[in-house]
Amino acid sequence: MSLTVENLEKNMAKLIITVPAADFVEAMTESYKKQKGKISVPGFRKGKVPQTYLEKMYGPEMFYEEAANICMENSYPSALDECGLDVVSRPEVDIEQMEKGKDFIYSATVAVKPEVTLGDYKGIEIDKVEVEVTEEDVQAELLNVQKQNARNIPVEDRPAKMEDEVTIDFEGFVDGEAFEGGKGENYQLTLGSHSFIDTFEDQIVGKNIGEEFDVNVTFPENYQAADLAGKTAVFKCKLKGIKETELPELDDEFASEVSEFDTMNEYKTDIRATLKAKKEKAAKNTKEGLVIDKIIENASMEIPDPMVDTTKEQMLNEFAQQISYQGLSMEQYFQFTGMTKEKFLETATPEAERRIKSRLVLEAIAKTEDIQVSDDELNDELKKMAEMYQMDLEKLTDLVGDSEKEAIKQDIAVQKAVDLVVEASVEK
């Protein structure tokens, strides 16, 4: 294998990788061996057709695609090691030459980690972040606990109102035709939850049990189901049940049931302390964010587009994992919200760019300040990981490879850089 590197604009590079002709022929033979058991040709037993015969009958091109993949899988990691570049994106591959008897040549266009020119990062001035727990905060938290312990009581003597949980049958029609996924029976819906599109829930308010009625809505222009996007629909509905929320009394009995305290006063004192700790943590995060934003503003760097695209895909995967804990798939989320993958990635662009710039400036500060991470600090982090994943520390340490340990140490160094710049900041 031989390698040529072309440096492109905006921290992009093109790796031109040449694989010897003999290696490409060998990869074609490997492709033939994988496929021969599936090939049937009259006059030959299955799996016994010679490679030369197949190439003469159908052309050697029948093995090119898989042979190319084999050559790239074998050569690309070595090319990355040889070029010495800090590649931060998946390669965009183009085949430059592919013919039996000739060298196999392909190019891989990649994003390279940008260089950062730091500006001022010590003595950053930020507005003071206040931490205060008000009586309204305490009451709001109590209301949340009330709602968590509320009962839903069936009602029959009044029409539906906001915050009721209603049971409905419905079927949706566009241009008089029922559409797929638009029908439900005994569906439970909390009015005001905005679970349904447009003004669907508002139009149930004021309806009585047993009443049949139409709900008129318009699907969003960016609705996931393209055949429904932007169209008006009529839902034939029937209200079958209404339940209202009954909140428990805020008294000593309630406090003893939902907490370890015997009185409401003790419980409220604990709530206040918990809220203060949360607000202090939030204030710390806010302060860090303000300082880092100023440091980014003072620095200069050129972010390659593929690096942003890779980060946005990571953010999409993170979000998909989060909602999976709630029992939702991304397909369901897109359907319920009218969001699309393309729109999600578009709206994620500013945060993706900030994530990248934040990491880059902090890594640059750690390097400039020669921040070191000791083995003891690494071990402490591994202990935290072992506790989090409920694993034996020794087993976890054996599973974590050298590259992963270096990545952990880099994360620790970055956090040390955060602590350094925040401690050196000035609150106005």
Side-chain angles (χ1 to χ4, degrees), residues 231-244:
K231 293 188 176 180
T232 57
V234 177
F235 282 85
K236 301 288 184 182
C237 300
K238 181 177 181 180
L239 181 56
K240 301 178 74 174
I242 302 172
K243 290 182 180 179
E244 68 178 358

Side-chain angles (χ1 to χ4, degrees), residues 150-168 186-191 204 207-209 239-247:
R151 294 191 305 157
N152 287 331
I153 308 299
V155 295
E156 298 180 356
D157 57 351
R158 64 162 177 81
K161 61 182 178 66
M162 279 297 176
E163 297 187 3
D164 281 345
E165 181 186 272
V166 297
T167 302
I168 57 172
N186 296 318
Y187 190 92
Q188 292 184 333
L189 173 65
T190 300
L191 301 183
I204 299 176
K207 300 298 189 292
N208 291 288
I209 294 174
L239 181 56
K240 301 178 74 174
I242 302 172
K243 290 182 180 179
E244 68 178 358
T245 301
E246 183 182 80
L247 298 177

Side-chain angles (χ1 to χ4, degrees), residues 124-140:
I124 298 296
E125 290 190 351
I126 58 170
D127 293 331
K128 186 174 179 63
V129 182
E130 300 290 347
V131 177
E132 181 186 4
V133 178
T134 66
E135 184 60 28
E136 289 75 16
D137 294 329
V138 176
Q139 291 301 324

Side-chain angles (χ1 to χ4, degrees), residues 86 88 112-118 121 292 295-296 299 301 303 307 354-372 406-418 420-421:
D86 195 346
V88 290
V112 180
K113 186 176 180 179
E115 290 290 329
V116 177
T117 302
L118 289 170
Y121 60 87
I292 292 169
I295 294 171
I296 290 172
M301 68 202 86
I303 309 298
M307 191 177 187
R354 188 191 179 279
R355 280 193 187 189
I356 293 167
K357 291 178 180 179
S358 174
R359 181 75 183 196
L360 288 174
V361 296
L362 291 169
E363 286 180 353
I365 291 168
K367 183 177 180 180
T368 300
E369 294 289 332
D370 193 26
I371 293 175
Q372 301 295 318
E406 281 305 312
I408 294 169
K409 290 176 78 169
Q410 183 66 47
D411 289 342
I412 297 171
V414 164
Q415 185 55 52
K416 283 186 167 187
V418 173
L420 182 150
V421 295

